[in-house]
Amino acid sequence: MGRVTRRVFTAAALSALAASPSAFALPDAAPWPPDASPQPPGAVPEPPSAAGPYGRSGAAEMRGMWLATVANRDWPSRPGLDAARQRAELTALLDAAVRRRLNTVIFQARPSADALWPSPYEPWSQWLTGVQGEDPGWDPLGTAVREAHTRGLELHVWFNPYRVALHDDPSLLAASHPARKHPDWVVRYGGQLSYDPGLPEVRTFVQRAMLHAVRAYPVDAVHFDDYFYPYPAPGHAFPDDASFARHGGGFASRAAWRRDNIDRLVRETAAGIRAVRPGARFGVSPFGVWRNAETDPRGSATRAGAQAYDDLYADTRTWVREGWIDYVVPQVYWSIGKGAVDYADLVAWWAGVAHGSRTRLYIGEALYRQGAAGEGAAWRSPDELSRHLTLAGKHPEVRGHVFFAAKDVAADPSGAMARVVADHYGKLAGPPR
């Protein structure tokens, strides 16, 4: 069956340790947090309180949107705009979230081993100026946090841990890029560059780079998406023979070792967030299918072409059941009644996984599919997403929804978002705490 994830828009753009906080440490010569790390200019307001613009107006729930910056998917509209135009486009998207009665923006600040803030670890993102490493003359993440909080919105900072580039030529990276300084960290796979998750030094570095932003800004949460090990490239094995030989001893299989690498990243990141910014949460938006039931009786009644556990080495069910993450937003990007992957079946499965755990469940919604060319009959109806929320509301474990993505929330060409607001968002909602 045709798998739909956020890989779709990337391809289109290219064609045009349960450690306690006190135990957390990054084993490197430099202290953490680094005393000399630059601070962002200007004061950034703390998040809104429960009595703020959204507080006590309605029940607390997640009403979120992803704001993707990779390949200029949502923002900025193109690289190379001046700072004033970039700011204006960003605040317009935040205003759209307010108009739609949302309360959370998930802002992609590290799309591919780069940064949308002044980072001492990684270069400025090419999606800002068109040149990786070129200073855009302002601080997008700092502005996003400040402007979101001013509007009563939560700001969750979204990082991609291991993706380095949407191409496979290291010479195209900025000269200062860590991937060029440490070529042994990098693998070519599927036409892209990735860091090798099997190297402990890589895991240490990416945490250091990400947690710098968490320390510098009063973000409400840290967010990972579905990319851990890369999605499989048919006919090609991920080239980690050397790292498996060095670090895979004692594991029953390479797959078990890879899953342990990702488990460690998740547990250590959770501990790092608690150490750096107590009170900030940690969420993941995984591919919607953990495993098919025909593969594992604990899996969902689906026949998906990909499985997070087996293909991305992301044991998302365990992360929820063990409470390693504060919230999970599975990307349930299919319609109700879809034969191989039915929205209704998956929401029920995830509700069962979340039941009795400390991890909050929100559902990731494919707003971008509504009315899009080539989609099935269900997505041609502006009622489809509203039906999703009605169905999900029958499961008390579902605490809200996140929509992909910001450009679609703002423009709403099919009218589907307006229908969701009219049918389900009659009142403002408190923060998703």
Side-chain angles (χ1 to χ4, degrees):
M1 72 95 195
R3 172 167 47 83
V4 177
T5 72
R6 285 176 280 201
R7 303 179 74 207
V8 172
F9 81 80
T10 298
L14 286 175
S15 66
L17 159 252
S20 67
S22 60
F24 177 77
L26 292 170
D28 203 347
W32 179 259
D35 294 334
S37 58
Q39 295 302 304
V44 179
E46 290 292 337
S49 70
Y54 289 95
R56 301 196 178 99
S57 297
E61 65 172 323
M62 168 63 82
R63 297 180 184 176
M65 72 178 188
W66 283 286
L67 199 165
T69 60
V70 65
N72 299 108
R73 198 280 175 193
D74 292 319
W75 176 86
S77 59
R78 59 181 174 84
L81 300 176
D82 62 38
R85 176 70 180 275
Q86 289 185 357
R87 283 193 192 95
E89 289 187 353
L90 177 59
T91 55
L93 291 173
L94 300 180
D95 289 339
V98 173
R99 287 198 308 274
R100 303 298 187 189
R101 294 181 178 161
L102 306 184
N103 58 20
T104 302
V105 173
I106 300 174
F107 179 80
Q108 190 176 33
R110 186 179 183 266
S112 45
D114 52 10
L116 276 81
W117 76 95
S119 169
Y121 299 104
E122 294 177 309
W124 282 104
S125 177
Q126 72 184 83
W127 310 120
L128 295 170
T129 64
V131 178
Q132 189 175 65
E134 183 175 301
D135 190 335
W138 69 299
D139 180 1
L141 177 56
T143 300
V145 175
R146 179 174 62 250
E147 295 296 336
H149 288 170
T150 297
R151 288 162 174 77
L153 299 165
E154 287 203 350
L155 195 291
H156 296 201
V157 59
W158 168 13
F159 302 120
N160 186 287
Y162 292 123
R163 181 170 59 207
V164 172
L166 302 181
H167 56 76
D168 63 0
D169 184 354
S171 70
L172 298 179
L173 301 174
S176 62
H177 200 292
R180 296 190 68 173
K181 296 179 178 179
H182 302 277
D184 53 312
W185 291 1
V186 181
V187 295
R188 289 185 174 94
Y189 183 72
Q192 300 188 4
L193 298 175
S194 298
Y195 284 132
D196 185 348
L199 295 175
E201 58 269 34
V202 164
R203 192 170 69 247
T204 294
F205 173 78
V206 299
Q207 289 177 70
R208 186 185 297 274
M210 295 184 295
L211 290 172
H212 174 263
V214 182
R215 173 179 177 263
Y217 305 93
V219 298
D220 300 284
V222 170
H223 188 92
F224 288 172
D225 58 15
D226 51 320
Y227 292 91
F228 294 98
Y229 278 84
Y231 279 88
H236 300 277
F238 186 75
D240 59 357
D241 288 351
S243 53
F244 180 58
R246 288 171 56 192
H247 303 290
F251 288 90
S253 66
R254 189 176 305 210
W257 168 72
R258 287 174 175 172
R259 277 188 290 274
D260 183 70
N261 292 331
I262 303 304
D263 284 351
R264 287 174 182 267
L265 172 74
V266 170
R267 294 199 308 268
E268 291 171 5
T269 300
I273 294 165
R274 292 194 299 268
V276 170
R277 187 166 294 282
R281 286 157 290 144
F282 181 30
V284 178
S285 57
F287 179 68
V289 176
W290 173 71
R291 298 188 100 185
N292 297 320
E294 64 182 15
T295 304
D296 187 323
R298 298 171 298 170
S300 52
T302 52
R303 301 186 306 279
Q307 302 169 93
Y309 182 93
D310 302 278
D311 295 310
L312 308 179
Y313 305 97
D315 188 1
T316 53
R317 181 181 182 275
T318 292
W319 305 347
V320 172
R321 297 301 302 165
E322 296 297 323
W324 295 350
I325 56 179
D326 297 304
Y327 70 82
V328 65
V329 194
Q331 297 174 35
V332 188
Y333 286 177
W334 298 276
S335 57
I336 296 172
K338 175 74 173 178
V341 188
D342 188 336
Y343 178 92
D345 289 342
L346 268 179
V347 169
W349 184 85
W350 278 104
V353 170
H355 183 75
S357 79
R358 65 169 291 272
T359 303
R360 298 214 169 194
L361 172 63
Y362 315 129
I363 303 298
E365 301 286 353
L367 175 62
Y368 73 97
R369 299 192 70 177
Q370 284 276 191
E375 297 291 354
W379 294 109
R380 291 196 294 271
S381 167
D383 296 332
E384 179 66 18
L385 280 190
S386 182
R387 294 173 63 220
H388 286 197
L389 272 66
T390 298
L391 186 153
K394 298 176 181 178
H395 299 279
E397 295 84 2
V398 177
R399 307 289 191 91
H401 302 260
V402 182
F403 301 93
F404 192 81
K407 183 168 62 177
D408 310 276
V409 169
D412 194 24
S414 69
M417 194 70 211
R419 185 64 58 88
V420 165
V421 174
D423 292 349
H424 301 279
Y425 294 167
K427 294 182 179 180
L428 299 175
R433 293 281 176 175

